[in-house]
Amino acid sequence: MSEKGSEFGAFLTGFLIGGLVGAAVGLLLAPQSGEETRALIKEKGIELKDKAVETAEEARARAEEFTRQAREQAIELQKRGQAAFEEKKGQLEKAIKDTKETVKKKTKKAAPPTEEAAA
């Protein structure tokens, strides 16, 4: 579970850093005046910020969906486990009852006759 989240986080971080570095290098190497470069840096910064916000919102939505699915699966597993427990509990109770009846029958057969039965 956490491995997927960590891989996505690493990808997202690399993506953002790569975008910033690429934009900075492109702006610094472009033949423009300082004022044009500053305006372009500001514009690119706003674009990158918007892209980062969008990507973060998508990641949040995915995480919420993943959490919802995991919660549903946990509830389903809990229901299955409870059903299996109840089934085995019933089987065990029946086996105990049957064993007690068998022991009771055998002890009646093996018991010596009482004085009342002999008289």
Side-chain angles (χ1 to χ4, degrees), residues 6-18 51-52 54-56 59:
S6 129
E7 289 177 8
F8 182 72
F11 170 78
L12 182 62
T13 302
F15 179 79
L16 291 174
I17 291 172
K51 182 71 174 174
E54 180 183 322
T55 304

Side-chain angles (χ1 to χ4, degrees), residues 1-2 62-78:
M1 248 186 251
S2 64
R62 286 182 187 164
E64 286 176 357
E65 178 63 18
F66 179 76
T67 301
R68 185 191 61 76
Q69 289 176 355
R71 193 172 289 135
E72 287 176 0
Q73 289 176 351
I75 290 169
E76 180 62 29
L77 285 174
Q78 181 184 14

Side-chain angles (χ1 to χ4, degrees), residues 50-116:
D50 292 343
K51 182 71 174 174
V53 168
E54 180 183 322
T55 304
E57 287 174 359
E58 289 174 5
R60 183 189 51 79
R62 286 182 187 164
E64 286 176 357
E65 178 63 18
F66 179 76
T67 301
R68 185 191 61 76
Q69 289 176 355
R71 193 172 289 135
E72 287 176 0
Q73 289 176 351
I75 290 169
E76 180 62 29
L77 285 174
Q78 181 184 14
K79 287 178 183 177
R80 286 184 192 173
Q82 186 67 31
F85 172 78
E86 293 297 330
E87 179 183 341
K88 294 299 178 184
K89 180 182 170 187
Q91 290 174 354
L92 182 60
E93 287 173 347
K94 184 181 181 315
I96 290 171
K97 180 182 173 188
D98 292 347
T99 303
K100 284 181 179 179
E101 288 177 8
T102 302
V103 169
K104 193 182 281 186
K105 287 179 186 176
K106 289 192 179 199
T107 54
K108 282 185 181 179
K109 288 182 184 177
T114 59
E115 291 180 19
E116 294 172 3

